[in-house]
Amino acid sequence: KAKFNPLGLQYFYTLIDDAVSRVMRSKGGFVWALKNYDGDVMSDMVAAAFGSLAMMTSVLMAPDGSVEFEASHGTVTRHFYRYRAGEKPSTNATATIFAWTGALRRRGELDSLPDLVSFAGKLESACLETMRDGVLTGDLAVLVEKEHCRQVVNFEESLEAIAKRLATKMQDADRR
């Protein structure tokens, strides 16, 4: 707390119940540290309240330097059940992809593999560019103004659009 005050930052400890109500009324502008299950539940709640669970990832850092990257827990299970039932889910894969790219980037940094670090960046860029270009899954399309949504796609079609952009990025890198 003594280090926060001179920086104009407020530090306080509170129970998860109070944190929930503060976050729901908040306009943001804060950093919060949560332990294990509270962090999982609360980060999912924030993602759902302010957009889509499919856009939420968590980075868990341990005191020993270990890092875990994960997507919101609810997205993969629900997608799988719908897929297994023969549906073509419209769930966005960005959180899952970013969990993987975070892990790949970290592994590349630890093992001095610049090509792996670069690949992770290219894949993330391909995801973001696809969405910025207005190619959105249904769960995201409902969150944006109509003029920002050029095409609504299902899960598989979104992966195909991302893969196409990634292939172009990889070819461009090979030419250099």
Side-chain angles (χ1 to χ4, degrees), residues 1-78:
K1 184 174 180 177
K3 292 181 181 180
F4 284 105
N5 288 338
L7 299 172
L9 302 173
Q10 181 185 20
Y11 170 88
F12 63 92
Y13 173 85
T14 187
L15 297 176
I16 193 64
D17 309 78
D18 182 45
V20 170
S21 66
R22 287 174 184 267
V23 168
M24 294 307 286
R25 294 186 317 247
S26 167
K27 289 187 166 107
F30 59 87
V31 174
W32 59 347
L34 300 167
K35 290 185 177 184
N36 200 7
Y37 186 70
D38 288 346
D40 282 346
V41 172
M42 294 310 300
S43 58
D44 289 356
M45 184 270 310
V46 170
F50 293 98
S52 170
L53 282 173
M55 298 297 291
M56 195 285 295
T57 59
S58 295
V59 179
L60 309 172
M61 297 178 278
D64 70 358
S66 301
V67 182
E68 177 188 357
F69 301 86
E70 65 181 20
S72 172
H73 297 149
T75 58
V76 175
T77 304
R78 183 178 28 181

Side-chain angles (χ1 to χ4, degrees), residues 84-104:
R84 191 170 66 183
E87 295 179 41
K88 290 193 176 211
S90 184
T91 306
N92 188 288
T94 302
T96 303
I97 292 170
F98 271 58
W100 277 98
T101 56
L104 291 172

Side-chain angles (χ1 to χ4, degrees), residues 98-114:
F98 271 58
W100 277 98
T101 56
L104 291 172
R105 179 180 292 104
R106 181 70 175 144
R107 187 76 261 165
E109 291 166 354
L110 290 172
D111 293 342
S112 299
L113 299 169

